[in-house]
Amino acid sequence: MPKAITDAEFDAEVLKSKIPVLIDFWAPWCGPCKAMLPIIEELETEYAGKVKVVKMNVDENQNVPQNFNVMSIPTFVLIKDGKPAATFVGSRSKADMKKEIDAVA
């Protein structure tokens, strides 16, 4: 299960990470977010040690989602070397997610 992070943990968990980080911006009431969870969990396992996967609840954390202009969820942001490398919105197939990650990781 991807680690849930807060606004307060963002710098340490994401910006200072030595490996790329995939952030899943989600909310408990979001159906497509729930549908993506099994794919996100599989990606976390497959990319273990190469890409860190974290989740951020947009209802509980407003600063970071606002900084990334998260307007709809799920939104996924790939961070590499402390900077956004890719952003994609909405449900995706596992193959699409892997293509996005492989382009950055």
Side-chain angles (χ1 to χ4, degrees), residues 3 16 18 20 23-24 27 36 39-40 42 52 61 66 68 74 77-78 93-94 103:
K3 178 176 180 170
K16 293 188 171 123
K18 304 235 183 294
I23 310 167
D24 175 6
M36 287 298 296
I39 293 172
I40 297 302
E42 288 175 26
K52 182 194 274 192
N61 302 280
Q66 192 171 26
F68 285 96
V77 178
L78 268 164
S93 70
K94 184 176 174 185

Side-chain angles (χ1 to χ4, degrees), residues 29-37 73-74 90-91:
W29 47 263
C30 167
C33 299
K34 289 179 190 168
M36 287 298 296
L37 185 58
I73 50 175
S91 295

Side-chain angles (χ1 to χ4, degrees), residues 70-105:
V70 174
M71 299 294 177
S72 58
I73 50 175
T75 291
F76 303 94
V77 178
L78 268 164
I79 304 287
K80 185 173 184 181
D81 301 324
K83 295 180 182 62
T87 301
F88 35 106
V89 179
S91 295
R92 297 287 181 102
S93 70
K94 184 176 174 185
D96 279 352
M97 296 288 288
K98 287 181 74 144
K99 196 163 43 173
E100 296 279 4
I101 294 167
D102 290 343
V104 171

Side-chain angles (χ1 to χ4, degrees), residues 42-81:
E42 288 175 26
L43 293 171
E44 180 184 34
T45 301
E46 287 180 33
Y47 287 92
K50 293 184 215 131
V51 176
K52 182 194 274 192
V53 180
V54 297
K55 297 173 69 60
M56 181 171 277
N57 183 328
V58 297
D59 288 342
E60 297 172 355
N61 302 280
Q62 262 110 51
N63 293 341
V64 171
Q66 192 171 26
N67 290 345
F68 285 96
N69 297 315
V70 174
M71 299 294 177
S72 58
I73 50 175
T75 291
F76 303 94
V77 178
L78 268 164
I79 304 287
K80 185 173 184 181
D81 301 324

